[in-house]
Amino acid sequence: MRVYKEVVKRDGRVVPFNLQKIEDAITQAWNQIGYPDFDSIADLSVLVGDQVSGRTSVKEIENTVMSVLFQHVPDVAREYCSYKMERERARKHPNEIEKVLLNKSDISQENANKDTTRAHIMSAYLAEIPSKQAMRDALPKDCLEAHDANIVYFHDMAYSIRPIENCRLLDLDCLLQNGFELNGVWIEKPKSFLTACTVATQILTHVTGSSYGGCTINLLHLAKFVDVSRQKIRKEEKKKLDRIKKKSDRILDNILDEKDFPYEKILNENVNERLQKEISQGIQTFTYQNQTLCSGIGQAVFLTVSVYLNEDKENVNDLILVFKEMIKQRIQGVKTKDGTYENLNFPKILYFLDEDTMKGGKYYDITVLCAECSAKRLVPDYMSVKKHMEIKGTAVASMGCRALLSPWRNPETGELQTWGRANIGAQSLNLPYIAMLDNPDRSIDKFFDNLDKYLQIAYRDMLWRINHVSKIKAKTCPVLWVYGGVAKLDPEDTLYDLVHGGFYTCTLGYMGLYECVKYLTGHGHWEEENGAKNLANKILKYLNEQNEIFGYEVNVSIALYGSPGETLTDKFAKACVEKFGHVGDGTVRDYLTNSYHIPVFKNTNAFDKLSIEAEFSDKTAGGSISYVELPNMSNNIEAVLELIEHIGNTCLYAELNSEISTCGKCGFNGYDFPKVFAEDGTIRWKCPRCGETDPEIVHTSYRICGYISNYTPNQGRSQDIKNRVKHLNLEES
């Protein structure tokens, strides 16, 4: 009977013993001291293999190799031993480069939309290392200490030192209508919708490589090119019909009348058929290009598409044509190598709700289509025009996960300007940490004393950003700052006037309002007991007041932001536990609650959750989002529409979340696969049919913060996902 030799890897996997790997390891060690003796290496490898039997560990094999080498080639043995010791050191205490090359968890789980096993993404991370160090050298010492202690977090440290901004509402209309230069090549106004879609992807790839946050475009700016194609197609089809009609007239020796040859009807049908085909091709091109082209920071375009049907009455019908096609393609999903169809992570889609898109409105059929897409593909997200007008005075699309710019009135036109503006960057406060610091008596006064101290650090972070971005020259990214993506400046001009005066916004974020208030009062921040809700509102009001004071002093718009905390939820929670032990809700879990959210483990009705959180969103106008977790709603679209209606009446910005999985092994797809956990505490979804759990095979789309991911989240976010309750069930609906 044949005995198989197996090796138990360090992560617990069992693989067949491979003699070639032994040869390669000895060759590498030998190469360090001289030209390898390949015949001797082959013999030594066989000796090692003879001593391995059955199932053994990596460590035991390494010991066997060292024993054989010390007996026969001691010099090589010493090199082999040194190499293995260095590898062990790198595994346990890696430097920044080794974290990337070894795909360590603090790199691989840092960004939920970057696959760090890919060479181009590794290269992007390696390029970040010197930038991050330069940023650390540039920050004031106490600001850096607060960042490292995870009290005041300086976001995007690896990019902030570079001459780039955070995120923007790109004026795609200005670029497409007027032309622009890209890498020394002049791009003229597109002559068709399909070409406009292609050019837009080139712009977005370039722009997102010159920034580090999300980019939002207005779908209307692309829809304006539908009529360009319509007129072009109409001209071509008219020529064809004229030739046909002329030929028919000659053959019949008479002129056909409208009854015999319905010219206009045929012309319109042909034009509409070709136009719809081009729209379909254009959206497919736009989607695939943005998913597959890689920006300079190593990932696909972090893109949001905004759709506000009442923004432009003249082009609304063409906008609807384009938007319907985008939603239909999103519902279908994208085909994978396994032959299954799954969800796309980007672009995010924002759909504005107003009287015409809500119940009884003339565009309600579009909202019904959106509801179907939300149930199946988690998009679009929903913006309430009513709430935006109440809070901001204008309807403003979000950028990235949830960032919202402050209103700004153009002094030349006197009108509020939305598109062609940007965000400087963000820093976030760890509110539970600030509440617990030197405060065993849970004094509210002590909390505000601590808050003042760390607000000063946050504002000094902002001062650094403001000063840095102000000095960037327009020629650094002409598409943005010379040709009108954000502004039209002379190449040698700096961004000083954009940063100051309110055109740009700088953001102060916060996390853990729930844990903070719970520590100080014993109750959730939405509860009236013991003044909990009053305290929560007092904290947010105070932060906004201090932002206004600081903003006035530096002549910069400062906005309060509900931090999404993709990885920060884990970092902030660990900081609380390490400093204070298990003394409150901020130190009993592996994660903190995002912004003002009701914590994920609270069994709250979906409508109540949205209403409660909406009370805090008006004090977090620099970026806030609410969401509800749902089961499979694909057969209950009416319930989805009720939620959408509630969002339109109540919420600044909200999303509907589900967990949708596809198993590449057996092809099974569905909602809410069972959850299991790996040894490192990160979550896996288990296929109910075949039992597969490998995240490379079982792809799950879920909401990690404000956007969709299908990568493995960090330990803290994994626990957050595990604890999420469904806020709506079929009985409720």
Side-chain angles (χ1 to χ4, degrees):
M1 179 179 177
R2 184 177 179 183
V3 178
Y4 288 95
K5 299 176 183 180
E6 295 177 321
V7 180
V8 182
K9 305 285 283 185
R10 287 182 175 84
D11 60 6
R13 290 179 297 119
V14 178
V15 299
F17 175 76
N18 187 341
L19 192 64
Q20 185 60 51
K21 289 187 176 182
I22 304 298
E23 284 195 33
D24 292 343
I26 298 174
T27 301
Q28 285 291 82
W30 205 310
N31 193 49
Q32 292 299 110
I33 61 172
Y35 189 78
D37 183 340
F38 293 103
D39 291 337
S40 296
I41 290 170
D43 293 339
L44 292 168
S45 301
V46 171
L47 287 175
V48 173
D50 290 343
Q51 296 182 35
V52 175
S53 62
R55 181 173 293 185
T56 188
S57 68
V58 170
K59 187 66 176 176
E60 289 170 332
I61 291 176
E62 288 176 350
N63 289 339
T64 302
V65 173
M66 280 190 280
S67 176
V68 169
L69 292 180
F70 270 116
Q71 290 178 40
H72 299 276
V73 280
D75 289 348
V76 177
R78 282 187 283 272
E79 286 297 329
Y80 179 84
C81 185
S82 297
Y83 169 74
K84 287 298 177 183
M85 289 174 64
E86 178 61 17
R87 289 280 293 180
E88 187 66 18
R89 192 248 353 126
R91 271 192 291 270
K92 293 180 178 178
H93 306 288
N95 58 38
E96 293 301 311
I97 292 175
E98 289 163 344
K99 286 178 182 179
V100 176
L101 297 179
L102 296 176
N103 200 29
K104 302 297 286 186
S105 61
D106 48 356
I107 296 294
S108 63
Q109 295 161 9
E110 183 180 44
N111 187 309
N113 285 289
K114 285 186 177 182
D115 182 355
T116 54
T117 64
R118 305 294 186 183
H120 67 283
I121 294 179
M122 281 190 184
S123 296
Y125 270 113
L126 290 170
E128 291 178 9
I129 294 171
S131 295
K132 188 180 292 185
Q133 185 56 53
M135 186 69 249
R136 293 179 64 83
D137 294 339
L139 271 183
K141 183 178 179 182
D142 49 349
C143 293
L144 182 60
E145 288 172 351
H147 170 84
D148 288 341
N150 286 306
I151 309 171
V152 182
Y153 192 80
F154 189 95
H155 287 268
D156 302 298
M157 185 170 281
Y159 296 106
S160 298
I161 196 74
R162 304 180 189 184
I164 57 180
E165 64 191 12
N166 184 12
C167 48
R168 80 228 39 84
L169 299 175
L170 186 71
D171 192 346
L172 189 62
D173 193 47
C174 181
L175 295 171
L176 292 178
Q177 296 292 338
N178 301 316
F180 58 94
E181 188 180 67
L182 192 63
N183 290 338
V185 177
W186 182 256
I187 311 292
E188 294 183 335
K189 178 180 177 179
K191 293 179 173 58
S192 70
F193 176 75
L194 180 57
T195 303
C197 288
T198 303
V199 172
T201 64
Q202 294 168 339
I203 293 171
L204 290 166
T205 303
H206 184 81
V207 165
T208 54
S210 301
S211 53
Y212 54 86
C215 183
T216 300
I217 64 166
N218 191 342
L219 191 62
L220 172 67
H221 297 166
L222 280 176
K224 288 182 179 181
F225 287 87
V226 169
D227 196 55
V228 175
S229 283
R230 181 186 288 114
Q231 298 308 321
K232 180 182 177 182
I233 293 169
R234 188 175 188 85
K235 187 176 181 180
E236 292 171 354
E237 289 298 317
K238 194 173 185 304
K239 283 183 178 180
K240 291 180 185 177
L241 282 180
D242 286 345
R243 285 197 299 269
I244 293 171
K245 190 172 187 302
K246 187 175 181 180
K247 183 177 180 181
S248 299
D249 290 345
R250 262 198 328 268
I251 294 172
L252 297 174
D253 200 26
N254 68 334
I255 299 175
L256 294 174
D257 59 22
E258 181 65 23
K259 181 180 178 182
D260 296 322
F261 193 87
Y263 184 94
E264 285 298 323
K265 180 183 178 183
I266 295 172
L267 177 61
N268 289 334
E269 287 176 351
N270 290 350
V271 169
N272 290 338
E273 182 180 349
R274 281 186 59 188
L275 183 63
Q276 185 56 51
K277 185 177 180 180
E278 181 169 328
I279 291 172
S280 178
Q281 290 174 335
I283 293 301
Q284 186 178 53
T285 297
F286 180 79
T287 302
Y288 272 86
Q289 291 282 78
N290 283 314
Q291 281 288 305
T292 56
L293 291 176
C294 213
S295 75
I297 62 171
Q299 66 179 24
V301 175
F302 189 175
L303 175 65
T304 301
V305 174
S306 174
V307 181
Y308 182 14
L309 297 184
N310 272 326
E311 185 176 2
D312 181 345
K313 301 291 186 183
E314 182 181 345
N315 293 286
V316 63
N317 291 329
D318 287 344
L319 175 58
I320 288 172
L321 284 176
V322 174
F323 183 52
K324 275 186 173 181
E325 182 61 32
M326 180 173 279
I327 290 294
K328 287 175 182 178
Q329 289 190 20
R330 198 62 174 263
I331 290 172
Q332 181 183 10
V334 61
K335 194 171 185 178
T336 70
K337 63 183 179 182
D338 305 313
T340 57
Y341 284 85
E342 64 180 29
N343 200 14
L344 290 169
N345 295 348
F346 291 105
K348 278 170 62 80
I349 301 174
L350 300 178
Y351 182 63
F352 280 84
L353 299 170
D354 60 13
E355 59 183 10
D356 286 334
T357 53
M358 293 166 68
K359 281 185 179 177
K362 57 185 176 182
Y363 303 134
Y364 191 60
D365 61 314
I366 312 298
T367 306
V368 174
L369 186 64
C370 289
E372 180 187 348
C373 193
S374 287
K376 189 171 183 180
R377 298 300 183 193
L378 309 184
V379 292
D381 300 342
Y382 298 95
M383 290 275 191
S384 167
V385 173
K386 172 188 171 184
K387 295 299 291 185
H388 271 259
M389 296 305 294
E390 288 176 3
I391 296 170
K392 289 180 167 289
T394 184
V396 181
S398 67
M399 306 169 297
C401 177
R402 67 193 67 189
L404 293 168
L405 295 172
S406 302
W408 180 79
R409 195 173 295 276
N410 190 318
E412 295 181 3
T413 65
E415 297 179 352
L416 289 169
Q417 181 173 330
T418 298
W419 298 98
R421 296 180 56 215
N423 184 292
I424 298 172
Q427 30 283 312
S428 290
L429 299 169
N430 186 340
L431 290 182
Y433 190 107
I434 294 169
M436 291 185 281
L437 182 64
D438 299 326
N439 194 12
D441 297 330
R442 308 186 184 218
S443 163
I444 292 174
D445 289 340
K446 180 61 178 175
F447 162 73
F448 277 99
D449 287 343
N450 290 340
L451 184 59
D452 282 336
K453 172 184 175 182
Y454 288 110
L455 269 175
Q456 285 193 8
I457 287 178
Y459 292 145
R460 288 169 67 201
D461 284 343
M462 288 186 190
L463 274 174
W464 190 93
R465 289 187 190 275
I466 291 165
N467 183 57
H468 174 71
V469 177
S470 294
K471 294 177 180 176
I472 296 173
K473 289 192 173 183
K475 65 182 180 182
T476 306
C477 186
V479 171
L480 284 178
W481 300 312
V482 175
Y483 296 109
V486 168
K488 287 190 172 183
L489 304 174
D490 289 333
E492 293 296 328
D493 286 347
T494 68
L495 306 189
Y496 187 92
D497 289 339
L498 303 183
V499 171
H500 296 84
F503 186 80
Y504 272 30
T505 300
C506 195
T507 304
L508 175 70
Y510 69 90
M511 280 196 68
L513 184 63
Y514 162 72
E515 289 86 358
C516 170
V517 173
K518 184 69 181 291
Y519 178 78
L520 295 172
T521 69
H523 295 277
H525 61 283
W526 65 95
E527 297 173 328
E528 301 286 354
E529 290 87 348
N530 204 22
K533 185 176 180 180
N534 285 337
L535 176 60
N537 282 309
K538 182 179 179 181
I539 292 169
L540 298 184
K541 181 182 178 183
Y542 185 75
L543 291 173
N544 277 293
E545 289 172 348
Q546 296 306 303
N547 283 348
E548 188 172 348
I549 292 170
F550 176 71
Y552 177 79
E553 290 174 341
V554 297
N555 191 26
V556 174
S557 176
I558 311 296
L560 189 62
Y561 173 72
S563 300
E566 179 185 329
T567 58
L568 206 56
T569 183
D570 181 269
K571 291 178 179 179
F572 273 11
K574 285 178 179 176
C576 290
V577 173
E578 289 171 4
K579 180 68 175 180
F580 308 109
H582 297 283
V583 296
D585 267 33
T587 59
V588 297
R589 298 180 183 86
D590 295 325
Y591 59 91
L592 293 187
T593 301
N594 281 6
S595 59
Y596 55 75
H597 290 172
I598 295 174
V600 296
F601 49 82
K602 291 291 182 182
N603 193 4
T604 313
N605 172 277
F607 296 91
D608 291 341
K609 183 178 190 293
L610 292 171
S611 296
I612 290 168
E613 292 184 352
E615 296 181 44
F616 299 98
S617 66
D618 63 343
K619 300 174 187 67
T620 314
S624 59
I625 193 169
S626 293
Y627 71 91
V628 287
E629 291 285 335
L630 305 175
N632 179 5
M633 303 299 292
S634 59
N635 295 318
N636 198 356
I637 301 302
E638 283 302 316
V640 177
L641 287 166
E642 288 297 324
L643 279 171
I644 293 172
E645 192 76 8
H646 189 67
I647 291 167
N649 287 317
T650 310
C651 300
L652 190 70
Y653 179 20
E655 299 169 328
L656 307 180
N657 297 355
S658 299
E659 293 171 10
I660 306 170
S661 301
T662 301
C663 179
K665 184 175 180 180
C666 70
F668 185 73
N669 63 79
Y671 294 74
D672 301 320
F673 278 22
K675 299 179 183 68
V676 296
F677 286 83
E679 290 183 7
D680 64 357
T682 57
I683 201 166
R684 303 286 188 272
W685 282 266
K686 182 177 181 179
C687 177
R689 179 184 289 173
C690 70
E692 183 60 65
T693 61
D694 186 341
E696 295 293 321
I697 299 174
V698 179
H699 293 165
T700 299
S701 291
Y702 65 96
R703 192 87 61 178
I704 194 163
C705 286
Y707 56 88
I708 301 166
S709 177
N710 50 27
Y711 291 135
T712 302
N714 63 33
Q715 187 178 38
R717 186 59 69 191
S718 291
Q719 290 297 319
D720 166 285
I721 293 167
K722 174 190 176 184
N723 291 342
R724 292 178 184 178
V725 299
K726 299 298 179 186
H727 299 120
L728 186 71
N729 56 51
L730 298 181
E731 286 73 26
E732 286 178 323
S733 61

